[in-house]
Amino acid sequence: MRVVAVLATSLDGRIAEAAAIPARFGSKQDQQRLEAIVAQSDAVLMGAATLRAYGSCRSVTYPQLQQQRRDRGQPLQPVQIICSASGQVNPACRFFQQPVPRWLLTTEQGRDRWGSQSGFDRILTAGRAELDWEDAFTQFDLAWQQLAVLGGGQLLGSLLAADRIEELYLTLCPLLLGARPASPLVAGLHFSVADAPRWKLLSAEPVGDELFLHYRRR
């Protein structure tokens, strides 16, 4: 299964003004590209903090993209997996009214905290207090060809540390946010220059004032 991360960032590498504020600086073209990648995916993985900021997931809304999924023999919508080690997900958010399959990826402690509440079609448990990515990936559907990771920075950092991200779709947006309190592209880890993951640039396409970049892990 190919794991791809899709994010939009400011010129100084920030994905939002702050963790609790949704990023709205991507253009219409950026949103269309994002949905196209979601439509190609069997599942979408998103952190609970990102869900709290937006209140909803990125579903496939364009009829043409929905038809392409049907033609490929895929369900109308990819599985939407919310990643929360704590199991703290607001059951009243709009996400639970969206017509999508919903999974929760959590720990044993998070599962116990979520308890018997409804809303998720399936709950995956990987690790006791911290997520065990090796265990988590064994529980994903073996037939899946692509998993799209949509943020946030903490989730991306955790997956990079576990060496799970293979490709990166990055939209460079024409603004500067500064260091504080803006949320970084990658959070929770630090690589030295010698040990940092290296990426091969597959494409770079300027559209208006944005730059669409596609990288593959070397």
Side-chain angles (χ1 to χ4, degrees):
M1 178 177 63
R2 182 172 60 256
V3 182
V4 303
V6 192
L7 299 107
T9 176
S10 64
L11 295 175
D12 52 344
R14 304 292 162 174
I15 59 175
E17 292 180 59
I21 299 177
R24 306 269 186 210
F25 44 77
S27 67
K28 181 179 179 180
Q29 289 82 2
D30 173 61
Q31 295 302 311
Q32 290 173 342
R33 286 169 181 259
L34 170 60
E35 186 163 330
I37 296 171
V38 168
Q40 294 167 2
S41 303
D42 298 288
V44 174
L45 183 62
M46 182 169 64
T50 302
L51 179 62
R52 284 192 288 271
Y54 288 90
S56 62
C57 67
R58 171 63 66 171
S59 60
V60 182
T61 60
Y62 287 98
Q64 181 180 1
L65 294 177
Q66 291 179 343
Q67 185 58 52
Q68 289 174 3
R69 289 184 63 84
R70 292 190 190 96
D71 294 342
R72 291 193 295 266
Q74 293 176 298
L76 190 64
Q77 297 291 336
V79 175
Q80 299 284 340
I81 307 171
I82 303 304
C83 178
S84 173
S86 68
Q88 293 180 325
V89 181
N90 181 5
C93 71
R94 187 164 61 90
F95 167 69
F96 290 100
Q97 280 72 56
Q98 291 181 273
V100 297
R102 288 176 288 271
W103 292 11
L104 173 64
L105 173 60
T106 188
T107 60
E108 293 178 15
Q109 292 182 2
R111 178 197 59 201
D112 295 342
R113 183 175 286 111
W114 179 257
S116 60
Q117 297 179 91
S118 61
F120 287 106
D121 303 306
R122 186 173 174 184
I123 296 178
L124 308 182
T125 303
R128 173 153 183 78
E130 296 184 1
L131 280 169
D132 181 336
W133 284 113
E134 184 174 355
D135 186 6
F137 273 78
T138 65
Q139 299 182 60
F140 294 157
D141 193 322
L142 294 176
W144 288 351
Q145 299 295 310
Q146 179 168 292
L147 172 68
V149 180
L150 304 191
Q154 197 73 39
L155 175 59
L156 182 59
S158 178
L159 287 166
L160 283 170
D163 197 22
R164 289 289 179 175
I165 303 295
E166 297 175 44
E167 294 187 23
L168 176 62
Y169 291 88
L170 186 64
T171 301
L172 195 59
C173 300
L175 74 164
L176 295 167
L177 292 178
R180 294 183 179 179
S183 180
L185 175 65
V186 178
L189 79 165
H190 173 76
F191 290 109
S192 67
V193 172
D195 296 331
R198 302 292 176 174
W199 302 83
K200 176 180 175 61
L201 181 63
L202 300 181
S203 65
E205 180 183 356
V207 178
D209 293 324
E210 290 178 327
L211 182 61
F212 298 104
L213 302 168
H214 182 195
Y215 287 93
R216 178 175 295 146
R217 178 75 178 270
R218 286 190 181 275

